[in-house]
Amino acid sequence: MTQVLARKWRPRSFAELVGQEHVVRALTNALRQQRLHHAYLFTGTRGVGKTTLARILAKALNCETGVTDTPCGKCGACTEIDSGRFVDLIELDAASNTQVDNMRELLDNALYAPTSGRYKVYIIDEVHMLSRSAFNAMLKTLEEPPGHVKFILATTDPQKIPVTVLSRCLQFGLKQIPPQQIGGRLDAVLAAENVTADAASVALLARAAEGSMRDALSLLDQAIAHGGGKLEEASTREMLGAVDQTYLHVILKALSAQDGAALVAEAARMAERSLSFETALQELATLLHRVALAQIVPGSIAADDPDAAAIHELARIFGADELQLHYQIAVQGRAEIGLAPDEHSGFMMTLLRMLAFAPGAAAAPAAALAPSAATSGLPPARATTAAAAADPSAWAELVGQLGLSAMANQLALRCEMVSRTADLIELRISQADERMFDKPYRDKLTAALRQLLGAKLRVAFVAGEVAGVSPKAVTDRKLEERQAEAVAEIRRDPFVRELIEDFDGSLEDTSIKPK
Ligand SMILES: [Zn+2]
């Protein structure tokens, strides 16, 4: 079923060939003027039309109407070449064919006149894969070619062809076919095949073909089958495995708005949909590349591209330098994702880097990200010589068992246990805290302690200089240490240092939050 369209719509004349105008012009001119070379080399990536062009050239040389740039397509030679039955056309694929082993024998045969055609044509695909001895055998024939022999060589890797062979070939470089041209050809095929299709599907297929007409037609075959005889965007996306990229647009907009919370939320939605975070980084880099391109060459995004409107909008929002920076961070993030604790953190850290290094980024975004854990505005308690007599951790443990809420709990966390006996607990509190937590809260704390330890318990509150051992002071200090560690770690990060140097940036310490 697949490959049906690719075979059916394979170009059979120079006029039908899409996207290689410069090669076609040179060849048709030469054919018209009967300026024939004995060896041609077509280079280019896979699927751009090298062997198709070779077969058309073989027809042009052998058409019964005479050597022509417009082979008739009807004569014996033309139809036999089209159906692969022409005896004087020897086609082999150096990548797979065992015939290559008897290259010498094959070429000895070249000395004999063609059986039915004007020329004996050798088409050798992926010629760079020939062995050294096969190249040597071919070189002998190339050095003194019989007048009736034509070589048409094709390769994706011309650099692997010996210079001695290259120098005897007329070389043509075939280009990757732009998506717009592929899309135009697909439209023509769809119309001829009476298949209804939306523009978005065609644009998606044209882009997915990556410059190869053969791949485009083969993808089109699959998309038609997948879509039950017609092309609709959702089904085409699904067939291509191309996830709707609006989540990437959301991420970039959140970045430009410095909205850390929106970034986190979108990453969470991605996790729910089980999207691959590594692929997301790749697609993010691709999108950034397209946005940057749209800034410089607005016409580079086809009008019927499903993402066109979003890309142009992003091109307006972002500065060129921001796009460069985000692109670099995305590419780097993808390279490092294997080292991250897990894909989600690797992805999230990459987005946070973008956020932290966006031009003009301040402390705000990260503050929006991290729940404000320890920002009470109280001056940090200082350890003094007046160390608590009772074990500070014992008080923290006790507070944990009280099940207090809100303000009473805040009071308990700010207290230091000075002493504890069976019937008295003495608590120290700073003078600032004493003003903030007046009688009702102290009564609540006392009641809770009595419930836990006995109704006869007395609780004394002493206001004065604290030792810095209250549960809150201990937690605050731990957070501070972790923050200092996080800052030091970020500052040590070679990638961060490189960014600071390359972009003449500075690090906003308060924007860094420990994990
Ligand atoms: Zn013909």
Side-chain angles (χ1 to χ4, degrees):
M1 179 63 198
T2 54
Q3 295 298 335
V4 171
L5 290 177
R7 201 176 303 127
K8 183 171 172 188
W9 291 93
R10 183 172 206 172
R12 287 167 203 272
S13 68
F14 289 117
E16 283 174 22
L17 208 72
V18 174
Q20 310 298 349
E21 293 80 3
H22 60 299
V23 175
V24 166
R25 201 176 312 122
L27 281 174
T28 51
N29 282 340
L31 287 163
R32 258 177 242 155
Q33 295 160 16
Q34 307 285 314
R35 280 187 294 110
L36 302 182
H37 213 265
H38 59 264
Y40 299 84
L41 174 64
F42 298 139
T43 65
T45 54
R46 55 183 296 280
V48 293
K50 298 184 295 294
T51 54
T52 298
L53 193 60
R55 283 190 204 154
I56 298 171
L57 181 56
K59 281 193 284 188
L61 293 167
N62 275 309
C63 179
E64 285 164 19
T65 66
V67 173
T68 172
D69 62 317
T70 51
C72 74
K74 296 186 183 80
C75 68
C78 282
T79 53
E80 280 173 31
I81 290 173
D82 278 340
S83 58
R85 289 181 288 113
F86 191 62
V87 285
D88 293 315
L89 175 60
I90 301 99
E91 242 184 297
L92 50 114
D93 182 353
S96 59
N97 210 302
T98 48
Q99 280 178 288
V100 178
D101 297 337
N102 40 36
M103 190 74 181
R104 189 179 303 273
E105 199 179 312
L106 209 68
L107 290 169
D108 282 347
N109 194 30
L111 298 171
Y112 302 103
T115 310
S116 74
R118 197 174 293 115
Y119 295 103
K120 226 174 201 166
V121 180
Y122 290 83
I123 295 180
I124 307 175
D125 197 13
E126 295 298 14
V127 67
H128 67 274
M129 308 272 286
L130 287 181
S131 66
R132 182 191 290 264
S133 65
F135 267 127
N136 285 339
M138 189 165 73
L139 198 57
K140 279 217 178 85
T141 317
L142 279 174
E143 278 166 346
E144 291 175 60
H148 59 262
V149 169
K150 299 286 178 206
F151 282 100
I152 309 177
L153 313 176
T155 182
T156 51
D157 197 352
Q159 284 173 319
K160 288 195 184 136
I161 299 176
V163 154
T164 45
V165 173
L166 276 181
S167 66
R168 289 179 167 80
C169 296
L170 191 58
Q171 196 172 329
F172 295 94
L174 276 68
K175 292 186 284 196
Q176 288 206 329
I177 310 165
Q180 285 88 338
Q181 268 184 306
I182 292 183
R185 177 70 171 171
L186 294 184
D187 279 334
V189 170
L190 285 163
E193 296 281 334
N194 270 320
V195 175
T196 52
D198 53 16
S201 294
V202 174
L204 283 167
L205 290 170
R207 195 139 45 87
E210 293 179 345
S212 160
M213 199 64 224
R214 183 172 64 214
D215 286 358
L217 287 169
S218 145
L219 288 171
L220 180 61
D221 254 328
Q222 295 170 48
I224 292 172
H226 190 86
K230 59 181 187 298
L231 292 190
E232 281 169 352
E233 184 178 350
S235 154
T236 306
R237 272 191 195 281
E238 193 180 77
M239 187 283 291
L240 290 172
V243 175
D244 183 355
Q245 296 204 334
T246 45
Y247 74 98
L248 292 177
H249 305 154
V250 172
I251 283 172
L252 287 183
K253 278 182 197 162
L255 269 180
S256 88
Q258 302 269 311
D259 187 347
L263 282 182
V264 174
E266 196 55 35
R269 273 193 288 277
M270 289 169 64
E272 274 168 27
R273 292 165 64 198
S274 312
L275 296 184
S276 153
F277 286 106
E278 190 189 343
T279 308
L281 283 179
Q282 184 188 4
E283 290 184 338
L284 190 59
T286 304
L287 179 60
L288 286 164
H289 159 243
R290 299 186 76 209
V291 174
L293 209 58
Q295 262 182 358
I296 309 293
V297 190
S300 65
I301 309 298
D304 59 0
D305 189 311
D307 294 329
I311 287 175
H312 287 303
E313 192 194 342
L314 292 168
R316 278 192 300 275
I317 298 176
F318 283 99
D321 53 340
E322 277 179 284
L323 292 173
Q324 289 298 324
L325 185 61
H326 291 333
Y327 175 84
Q328 194 186 350
I329 294 175
V331 169
Q332 183 81 21
R334 188 184 168 220
E336 289 176 354
I337 204 161
L339 303 173
D342 56 87
E343 278 210 354
H344 183 264
S345 355
F347 181 75
M348 208 56 239
M349 282 304 279
T350 305
L351 293 188
L352 293 186
R353 263 183 192 165
M354 292 177 179
L355 197 62
F357 287 96
L369 276 170
S372 53
T375 46
S376 68
L378 292 169
R382 218 155 263 156
T384 65
T385 44
D391 177 8
S393 62
W395 173 240
E397 208 177 298
L398 208 54
V399 173
Q401 296 167 24
L402 293 175
L404 291 163
S405 63
M407 290 296 275
N409 189 48
Q410 290 299 312
L411 169 64
L413 291 173
R414 284 166 169 79
C415 288
E416 295 176 357
M417 189 157 67
V418 181
S419 63
R420 178 181 171 183
T421 59
D423 56 358
L424 175 69
I425 287 183
E426 203 180 349
L427 296 173
R428 189 191 289 125
I429 187 170
S430 78
Q431 270 156 355
D433 285 341
E434 193 202 23
R435 279 192 301 275
M436 206 187 330
F437 300 95
D438 51 12
K439 197 166 178 304
Y441 306 117
R442 278 180 241 168
D443 288 350
K444 266 192 192 169
L445 177 53
T446 304
L449 282 167
R450 282 182 180 152
Q451 200 172 2
L452 187 71
L453 301 169
K456 287 182 183 168
L457 182 77
R458 285 184 303 129
V459 180
F461 289 90
V462 185
E465 185 156 28
V466 291
V469 292
S470 73
K472 179 178 184 319
V474 171
T475 312
D476 283 358
R477 218 159 28 243
K478 273 186 194 153
L479 282 173
E480 265 174 43
E481 279 163 19
R482 281 173 56 204
Q483 170 72 10
E485 267 168 33
V487 170
E489 194 181 330
I490 291 274
R491 286 194 176 281
R492 276 197 302 271
D493 184 332
F495 179 67
V496 170
R497 293 163 70 135
E498 205 171 284
L499 280 178
I500 290 175
E501 264 171 44
D502 290 354
F503 292 91
D504 197 20
S506 64
L507 200 58
E508 186 74 54
D509 286 358
T510 47
S511 72
I512 301 166
K513 291 288 172 195
K515 277 178 268 185

